Amino acid sequence: MKITIEIPSHFYESGWIDEDGNLLPPGPNKAREVLGAAKSDWKDFSFAMADIIESMLNEMANEYDKENAHLEKCYEL
């Protein structure tokens, strides 16, 4: 099974605060920014990704149920 998800932009478009309290703008490498977010606040990142995956799986399951609703009727006969 393959699921394509969209990582929320706040994980790669937000700035960073350095040790001196200065706000650093996000860099152009979005993958590096996401890695930084995942490493610095891994709990928030992992829960956000789990919520996204759960939503996608629910959507896929509901779509499957809609597409195959006729099969249930056939098996009930």
Side-chain angles (χ1 to χ4, degrees):
M1 177 186 299
K2 187 175 198 177
I3 298 175
T4 302
I5 63 169
E6 184 174 337
I7 296 174
S9 62
H10 69 271
F11 285 115
Y12 56 86
E13 290 182 349
S14 300
W16 297 94
I17 298 176
D18 67 10
E19 297 97 16
D20 298 327
N22 301 315
L23 179 64
L24 305 172
N29 186 337
K30 294 186 184 326
R32 182 87 47 220
E33 295 296 315
V34 172
L35 283 171
K39 288 179 181 179
S40 65
D41 193 1
W42 65 269
K43 283 184 181 180
D44 180 46
F45 184 79
S46 62
F47 285 124
M49 293 302 103
D51 287 344
I52 291 169
I53 292 169
E54 178 185 23
S55 293
M56 290 300 300
L57 289 171
N58 280 325
E59 186 177 311
M60 291 169 66
N62 291 338
E63 187 64 31
Y64 177 87
D65 290 343
K66 281 195 304 190
E67 289 176 0
N68 295 288
H70 67 283
L71 295 176
E72 276 188 38
K73 292 177 184 175
C74 291
Y75 288 122
E76 287 177 3
L77 297 176

PDB file of all heavy atoms in Angstrom, residues 25-48:
ATOM      1  N   PRO A  25      15.128  32.977   9.178  1.00  0.00           N
ATOM      2  CA  PRO A  25      14.146  32.602   8.154  1.00  0.00           C
ATOM      3  C   PRO A  25      14.380  31.168   7.688  1.00  0.00           C
ATOM      4  O   PRO A  25      15.491  30.642   7.801  1.00  0.00           O
ATOM      5  CB  PRO A  25      14.409  33.600   7.028  1.00  0.00           C
ATOM      6  CG  PRO A  25      15.832  34.018   7.207  1.00  0.00           C
ATOM      7  CD  PRO A  25      16.092  33.944   8.688  1.00  0.00           C
ATOM      8  N   PRO A  26      13.346  30.533   7.154  1.00  0.00           N
ATOM      9  CA  PRO A  26      13.526  29.168   6.655  1.00  0.00           C
ATOM     10  C   PRO A  26      14.454  29.159   5.443  1.00  0.00           C
ATOM     11  O   PRO A  26      14.507  30.125   4.676  1.00  0.00           O
ATOM     12  CB  PRO A  26      12.114  28.728   6.279  1.00  0.00           C
ATOM     13  CG  PRO A  26      11.364  29.994   6.051  1.00  0.00           C
ATOM     14  CD  PRO A  26      11.994  31.003   6.951  1.00  0.00           C
ATOM     15  N   GLY A  27      15.182  28.079   5.283  1.00  0.00           N
ATOM     16  CA  GLY A  27      16.077  27.933   4.144  1.00  0.00           C
ATOM     17  C   GLY A  27      15.332  27.436   2.912  1.00  0.00           C
ATOM     18  O   GLY A  27      14.170  27.028   2.993  1.00  0.00           O
ATOM     19  N   PRO A  28      15.997  27.443   1.778  1.00  0.00           N
ATOM     20  CA  PRO A  28      15.340  27.011   0.540  1.00  0.00           C
ATOM     21  C   PRO A  28      15.166  25.500   0.429  1.00  0.00           C
ATOM     22  O   PRO A  28      14.350  25.024  -0.352  1.00  0.00           O
ATOM     23  CB  PRO A  28      16.277  27.537  -0.553  1.00  0.00           C
ATOM     24  CG  PRO A  28      17.614  27.604   0.101  1.00  0.00           C
ATOM     25  CD  PRO A  28      17.345  27.932   1.544  1.00  0.00           C
ATOM     26  N   ASN A  29      15.921  24.727   1.215  1.00  0.00           N
ATOM     27  CA  ASN A  29      15.856  23.267   1.156  1.00  0.00           C
ATOM     28  C   ASN A  29      14.733  22.789   2.081  1.00  0.00           C
ATOM     29  O   ASN A  29      14.910  22.631   3.284  1.00  0.00           O
ATOM     30  CB  ASN A  29      17.198  22.675   1.577  1.00  0.00           C
ATOM     31  CG  ASN A  29      17.258  21.176   1.407  1.00  0.00           C
ATOM     32  OD1 ASN A  29      16.241  20.503   1.379  1.00  0.00           O
ATOM     33  ND2 ASN A  29      18.474  20.657   1.306  1.00  0.00           N
ATOM     34  N   LYS A  30      13.555  22.571   1.494  1.00  0.00           N
ATOM     35  CA  LYS A  30      12.376  22.201   2.292  1.00  0.00           C
ATOM     36  C   LYS A  30      12.566  20.868   3.010  1.00  0.00           C
ATOM     37  O   LYS A  30      12.120  20.698   4.139  1.00  0.00           O
ATOM     38  CB  LYS A  30      11.140  22.174   1.414  1.00  0.00           C
ATOM     39  CG  LYS A  30      10.762  23.549   0.886  1.00  0.00           C
ATOM     40  CD  LYS A  30       9.469  23.524   0.149  1.00  0.00           C
ATOM     41  CE  LYS A  30       9.065  24.804  -0.495  1.00  0.00           C
ATOM     42  NZ  LYS A  30       9.378  26.033   0.094  1.00  0.00           N
ATOM     43  N   ALA A  31      13.246  19.926   2.371  1.00  0.00           N
ATOM     44  CA  ALA A  31      13.492  18.634   3.022  1.00  0.00           C
ATOM     45  C   ALA A  31      14.325  18.823   4.278  1.00  0.00           C
ATOM     46  O   ALA A  31      14.058  18.216   5.321  1.00  0.00           O
ATOM     47  CB  ALA A  31      14.181  17.680   2.055  1.00  0.00           C
ATOM     48  N   ARG A  32      15.334  19.687   4.217  1.00  0.00           N
ATOM     49  CA  ARG A  32      16.187  19.952   5.388  1.00  0.00           C
ATOM     50  C   ARG A  32      15.379  20.631   6.490  1.00  0.00           C
ATOM     51  O   ARG A  32      15.549  20.336   7.669  1.00  0.00           O
ATOM     52  CB  ARG A  32      17.365  20.823   4.958  1.00  0.00           C
ATOM     53  CG  ARG A  32      18.356  21.142   6.028  1.00  0.00           C
ATOM     54  CD  ARG A  32      19.465  20.166   6.258  1.00  0.00           C
ATOM     55  NE  ARG A  32      20.120  19.739   5.051  1.00  0.00           N
ATOM     56  CZ  ARG A  32      20.504  18.478   4.844  1.00  0.00           C
ATOM     57  NH1 ARG A  32      20.315  17.576   5.767  1.00  0.00           N
ATOM     58  NH2 ARG A  32      21.082  18.108   3.737  1.00  0.00           N
ATOM     59  N   GLU A  33      14.468  21.517   6.097  1.00  0.00           N
ATOM     60  CA  GLU A  33      13.622  22.197   7.076  1.00  0.00           C
ATOM     61  C   GLU A  33      12.699  21.204   7.787  1.00  0.00           C
ATOM     62  O   GLU A  33      12.509  21.275   8.996  1.00  0.00           O
ATOM     63  CB  GLU A  33      12.793  23.304   6.413  1.00  0.00           C
ATOM     64  CG  GLU A  33      13.614  24.449   5.847  1.00  0.00           C
ATOM     65  CD  GLU A  33      14.379  25.215   6.919  1.00  0.00           C
ATOM     66  OE1 GLU A  33      13.791  25.531   7.967  1.00  0.00           O
ATOM     67  OE2 GLU A  33      15.570  25.498   6.691  1.00  0.00           O
ATOM     68  N   VAL A  34      12.118  20.276   7.020  1.00  0.00           N
ATOM     69  CA  VAL A  34      11.244  19.257   7.623  1.00  0.00           C
ATOM     70  C   VAL A  34      12.049  18.371   8.563  1.00  0.00           C
ATOM     71  O   VAL A  34      11.600  18.044   9.665  1.00  0.00           O
ATOM     72  CB  VAL A  34      10.530  18.425   6.537  1.00  0.00           C
ATOM     73  CG1 VAL A  34       9.795  17.250   7.150  1.00  0.00           C
ATOM     74  CG2 VAL A  34       9.564  19.299   5.748  1.00  0.00           C
ATOM     75  N   LEU A  35      13.255  17.994   8.146  1.00  0.00           N
ATOM     76  CA  LEU A  35      14.108  17.185   9.028  1.00  0.00           C
ATOM     77  C   LEU A  35      14.423  17.930  10.317  1.00  0.00           C
ATOM     78  O   LEU A  35      14.404  17.344  11.407  1.00  0.00           O
ATOM     79  CB  LEU A  35      15.408  16.810   8.316  1.00  0.00           C
ATOM     80  CG  LEU A  35      15.320  15.694   7.302  1.00  0.00           C
ATOM     81  CD1 LEU A  35      16.619  15.584   6.516  1.00  0.00           C
ATOM     82  CD2 LEU A  35      15.004  14.381   7.988  1.00  0.00           C
ATOM     83  N   GLY A  36      14.699  19.217  10.196  1.00  0.00           N
ATOM     84  CA  GLY A  36      14.975  20.026  11.382  1.00  0.00           C
ATOM     85  C   GLY A  36      13.776  20.065  12.317  1.00  0.00           C
ATOM     86  O   GLY A  36      13.914  19.930  13.531  1.00  0.00           O
ATOM     87  N   ALA A  37      12.591  20.238  11.741  1.00  0.00           N
ATOM     88  CA  ALA A  37      11.370  20.253  12.554  1.00  0.00           C
ATOM     89  C   ALA A  37      11.138  18.894  13.202  1.00  0.00           C
ATOM     90  O   ALA A  37      10.755  18.808  14.368  1.00  0.00           O
ATOM     91  CB  ALA A  37      10.174  20.643  11.694  1.00  0.00           C
ATOM     92  N   ALA A  38      11.373  17.832  12.441  1.00  0.00           N
ATOM     93  CA  ALA A  38      11.156  16.481  12.967  1.00  0.00           C
ATOM     94  C   ALA A  38      12.124  16.161  14.099  1.00  0.00           C
ATOM     95  O   ALA A  38      11.759  15.486  15.061  1.00  0.00           O
ATOM     96  CB  ALA A  38      11.309  15.457  11.847  1.00  0.00           C
ATOM     97  N   LYS A  39      13.341  16.652  13.990  1.00  0.00           N
ATOM     98  CA  LYS A  39      14.345  16.369  15.030  1.00  0.00           C
ATOM     99  C   LYS A  39      14.181  17.266  16.249  1.00  0.00           C
ATOM    100  O   LYS A  39      14.390  16.818  17.370  1.00  0.00           O
ATOM    101  CB  LYS A  39      15.752  16.538  14.453  1.00  0.00           C
ATOM    102  CG  LYS A  39      16.131  15.443  13.489  1.00  0.00           C
ATOM    103  CD  LYS A  39      17.512  15.667  12.928  1.00  0.00           C
ATOM    104  CE  LYS A  39      17.876  14.569  11.944  1.00  0.00           C
ATOM    105  NZ  LYS A  39      19.209  14.789  11.363  1.00  0.00           N
ATOM    106  N   SER A  40      13.809  18.526  16.044  1.00  0.00           N
ATOM    107  CA  SER A  40      13.746  19.450  17.180  1.00  0.00           C
ATOM    108  C   SER A  40      12.459  19.292  17.988  1.00  0.00           C
ATOM    109  O   SER A  40      12.465  19.476  19.193  1.00  0.00           O
ATOM    110  CB  SER A  40      13.897  20.898  16.708  1.00  0.00           C
ATOM    111  OG  SER A  40      12.799  21.264  15.907  1.00  0.00           O
ATOM    112  N   ASP A  41      11.369  18.970  17.319  1.00  0.00           N
ATOM    113  CA  ASP A  41      10.096  18.792  18.033  1.00  0.00           C
ATOM    114  C   ASP A  41       9.457  17.506  17.525  1.00  0.00           C
ATOM    115  O   ASP A  41       8.393  17.515  16.920  1.00  0.00           O
ATOM    116  CB  ASP A  41       9.188  19.999  17.801  1.00  0.00           C
ATOM    117  CG  ASP A  41       8.007  20.034  18.755  1.00  0.00           C
ATOM    118  OD1 ASP A  41       7.903  19.127  19.614  1.00  0.00           O
ATOM    119  OD2 ASP A  41       7.184  20.951  18.643  1.00  0.00           O
ATOM    120  N   TRP A  42      10.126  16.395  17.784  1.00  0.00           N
ATOM    121  CA  TRP A  42       9.730  15.117  17.195  1.00  0.00           C
ATOM    122  C   TRP A  42       8.351  14.662  17.635  1.00  0.00           C
ATOM    123  O   TRP A  42       7.635  14.022  16.875  1.00  0.00           O
ATOM    124  CB  TRP A  42      10.777  14.043  17.476  1.00  0.00           C
ATOM    125  CG  TRP A  42      10.944  13.695  18.915  1.00  0.00           C
ATOM    126  CD1 TRP A  42      11.802  14.254  19.799  1.00  0.00           C
ATOM    127  CD2 TRP A  42      10.217  12.695  19.632  1.00  0.00           C
ATOM    128  NE1 TRP A  42      11.657  13.681  21.041  1.00  0.00           N
ATOM    129  CE2 TRP A  42      10.685  12.706  20.959  1.00  0.00           C
ATOM    130  CE3 TRP A  42       9.211  11.794  19.295  1.00  0.00           C
ATOM    131  CZ2 TRP A  42      10.187  11.864  21.937  1.00  0.00           C
ATOM    132  CZ3 TRP A  42       8.720  10.952  20.274  1.00  0.00           C
ATOM    133  CH2 TRP A  42       9.209  10.990  21.575  1.00  0.00           C
ATOM    134  N   LYS A  43       7.934  14.983  18.861  1.00  0.00           N
ATOM    135  CA  LYS A  43       6.601  14.555  19.310  1.00  0.00           C
ATOM    136  C   LYS A  43       5.511  15.247  18.500  1.00  0.00           C
ATOM    137  O   LYS A  43       4.587  14.595  18.017  1.00  0.00           O
ATOM    138  CB  LYS A  43       6.409  14.826  20.801  1.00  0.00           C
ATOM    139  CG  LYS A  43       7.096  13.839  21.697  1.00  0.00           C
ATOM    140  CD  LYS A  43       6.760  14.127  23.153  1.00  0.00           C
ATOM    141  CE  LYS A  43       7.478  13.146  24.055  1.00  0.00           C
ATOM    142  NZ  LYS A  43       7.182  13.398  25.470  1.00  0.00           N
ATOM    143  N   ASP A  44       5.599  16.556  18.359  1.00  0.00           N
ATOM    144  CA  ASP A  44       4.620  17.306  17.587  1.00  0.00           C
ATOM    145  C   ASP A  44       4.595  16.810  16.140  1.00  0.00           C
ATOM    146  O   ASP A  44       3.530  16.578  15.573  1.00  0.00           O
ATOM    147  CB  ASP A  44       4.956  18.804  17.624  1.00  0.00           C
ATOM    148  CG  ASP A  44       3.969  19.643  16.838  1.00  0.00           C
ATOM    149  OD1 ASP A  44       2.750  19.431  16.999  1.00  0.00           O
ATOM    150  OD2 ASP A  44       4.418  20.513  16.063  1.00  0.00           O
ATOM    151  N   PHE A  45       5.774  16.616  15.564  1.00  0.00           N
ATOM    152  CA  PHE A  45       5.870  16.162  14.181  1.00  0.00           C
ATOM    153  C   PHE A  45       5.276  14.765  14.021  1.00  0.00           C
ATOM    154  O   PHE A  45       4.481  14.521  13.107  1.00  0.00           O
ATOM    155  CB  PHE A  45       7.324  16.170  13.721  1.00  0.00           C
ATOM    156  CG  PHE A  45       7.490  15.813  12.279  1.00  0.00           C
ATOM    157  CD1 PHE A  45       7.244  16.745  11.290  1.00  0.00           C
ATOM    158  CD2 PHE A  45       7.890  14.541  11.916  1.00  0.00           C
ATOM    159  CE1 PHE A  45       7.390  16.407   9.948  1.00  0.00           C
ATOM    160  CE2 PHE A  45       8.033  14.201  10.586  1.00  0.00           C
ATOM    161  CZ  PHE A  45       7.781  15.140   9.602  1.00  0.00           C
ATOM    162  N   SER A  46       5.611  13.850  14.908  1.00  0.00           N
ATOM    163  CA  SER A  46       5.122  12.472  14.768  1.00  0.00           C
ATOM    164  C   SER A  46       3.607  12.389  14.967  1.00  0.00           C
ATOM    165  O   SER A  46       2.927  11.663  14.242  1.00  0.00           O
ATOM    166  CB  SER A  46       5.849  11.528  15.731  1.00  0.00           C
ATOM    167  OG  SER A  46       5.615  11.889  17.074  1.00  0.00           O
ATOM    168  N   PHE A  47       3.068  13.158  15.912  1.00  0.00           N
ATOM    169  CA  PHE A  47       1.611  13.155  16.102  1.00  0.00           C
ATOM    170  C   PHE A  47       0.899  13.777  14.904  1.00  0.00           C
ATOM    171  O   PHE A  47      -0.156  13.309  14.484  1.00  0.00           O
ATOM    172  CB  PHE A  47       1.214  13.862  17.400  1.00  0.00           C
ATOM    173  CG  PHE A  47       1.486  13.043  18.633  1.00  0.00           C
ATOM    174  CD1 PHE A  47       2.271  13.545  19.657  1.00  0.00           C
ATOM    175  CD2 PHE A  47       0.970  11.763  18.766  1.00  0.00           C
ATOM    176  CE1 PHE A  47       2.529  12.788  20.799  1.00  0.00           C
ATOM    177  CE2 PHE A  47       1.212  10.998  19.902  1.00  0.00           C
ATOM    178  CZ  PHE A  47       1.998  11.514  20.916  1.00  0.00           C
ATOM    179  N   ALA A  48       1.478  14.836  14.352  1.00  0.00           N
ATOM    180  CA  ALA A  48       0.883  15.466  13.165  1.00  0.00           C
ATOM    181  C   ALA A  48       0.884  14.488  11.990  1.00  0.00           C
ATOM    182  O   ALA A  48      -0.113  14.365  11.276  1.00  0.00           O
ATOM    183  CB  ALA A  48       1.642  16.742  12.805  1.00  0.00           C
TER     184      ALA A  48
END
